[in-house]
Amino acid sequence: VWSWRLTPVANTCHNLSCIRSQDMLHWETMSGQPVALPIQWRNNQPVAVPVGPWNGLTNMSYNIGWDRGKNPCIVYHLYDPQGISQIFVARWERDSAGKSSWRPQQISHWPDFTWALDLTGSLKHSIVVSPIEPLGADDLTIHYTHEKYGSGTWVLDGNTIKVKKETTGKTKSLAAALPAITLNKDLEARTKTDNTGRYLMRWQTLPINQDRPRPDPVPAPTELVVYKIGMN
């Protein structure tokens, strides 16, 4: 899964696209149409969600997962018609006539907050979303972290992809249980959990500066610490 970008400005990402392969040599669309390599921008075959530039699509916030029927689901960030940041899901589905296609659906309905993407360089990751995952026999789940609204989880109906329940403010942070850290001047604490949930890395760094040069002096090195999480 990928998006194209017109310029270094993050908000020029467009046309969320998807292809698949059984041998990493021969590629095709989800409908089985062969895709020639190298893939070119003008080839619209792989486009899963046609999105123009300046609509909030960003390569920092989309993931692919699968429902219990092994249908791919792409979770992604876009602006709604009012310019507010929202989360959407596009699932590969078969309609009543037997034709399959990508069906997008809005998941979040946040009342305000727009992730500023009309910028270049490294940007603040204001909204983070997880891949969609099966939950129980019939449901699906997506986790999110939002700069304004904190962390939460959506439970979706596996048939309709509509939100059945949203849990907010109850996501326990592993970082909160770590020993206190003394930050050096002008530095921020960062943490990162691996994909198994068993290890957590913590370090200090300067704030994001959109890849622009910083004035001297450069801060002194600090420790990068890896914690092993006890599993009950």
Side-chain angles (χ1 to χ4, degrees):
V1 177
W2 76 95
S3 63
W4 298 96
R5 183 182 286 192
L6 287 178
T7 75
V9 176
N11 205 11
T12 62
C13 287
H14 60 285
N15 281 359
L16 191 58
S17 305
C18 178
I19 55 174
R20 65 183 182 182
S21 174
Q22 295 190 41
D23 59 9
M24 305 300 287
L25 296 174
H26 304 90
W27 294 85
E28 64 182 18
T29 65
M30 283 300 301
S31 60
Q33 296 175 303
V35 177
L37 300 182
I39 299 172
Q40 298 183 0
W41 173 81
R42 65 177 64 91
N43 183 357
N44 289 325
Q45 283 180 297
V47 175
V49 183
V51 178
W54 313 108
N55 284 294
L57 184 65
T58 168
N59 58 305
M60 295 173 66
S61 209
Y62 55 72
N63 287 293
I64 188 168
W66 286 262
D67 65 12
R68 195 163 296 284
K70 305 300 183 183
N71 301 300
C73 306
I74 307 173
V75 183
Y76 57 100
H77 169 276
L78 276 186
Y79 298 148
D80 66 16
Q82 288 71 45
I84 297 170
S85 287
Q86 305 292 357
I87 299 303
F88 294 75
V89 172
R91 180 166 68 172
W92 183 254
E93 296 184 357
R94 188 181 300 275
D95 63 20
S96 57
K99 182 179 179 181
S100 295
S101 61
W102 290 102
R103 185 170 74 88
Q105 183 157 293
Q106 184 173 334
I107 300 300
S108 68
H109 295 277
W110 291 309
D112 52 27
F113 184 81
T114 298
W115 185 2
L117 295 171
D118 294 344
L119 301 167
T120 60
S122 298
L123 305 184
K124 188 174 183 180
H125 210 158
S126 295
I127 299 175
V128 181
V129 288
S130 74
I132 205 167
E133 295 178 347
L135 177 69
D138 303 308
D139 295 335
L140 302 167
T141 185
I142 302 172
H143 307 289
Y144 69 83
T145 302
H146 192 291
E147 179 178 312
K148 182 172 182 179
Y149 295 108
S151 298
T153 299
W154 292 296
V155 176
L156 313 178
D157 183 287
N159 294 316
T160 64
I161 313 294
K162 293 185 181 297
V163 177
K164 294 175 61 175
K165 180 175 67 174
E166 181 179 1
T167 304
T168 60
K170 297 181 180 179
T171 303
K172 184 177 179 182
S173 171
L174 294 173
L178 296 179
I181 183 172
T182 301
L183 292 172
N184 290 7
K185 185 177 183 296
D186 299 326
L187 298 188
E188 297 178 346
R190 299 288 174 84
T191 59
K192 177 70 175 178
T193 306
D194 79 323
N195 60 1
T196 69
R198 297 186 60 194
Y199 296 92
L200 186 146
M201 184 168 63
R202 182 166 68 174
W203 69 99
Q204 298 185 43
T205 183
L206 288 165
I208 288 172
N209 198 44
Q210 296 178 238
D211 299 336
R212 295 171 298 188
R214 301 180 186 271
D216 290 330
V218 176
T222 60
E223 286 187 330
L224 185 151
V225 184
V226 177
Y227 297 87
K228 185 175 182 179
I229 309 300
M231 307 297 287
N232 295 327

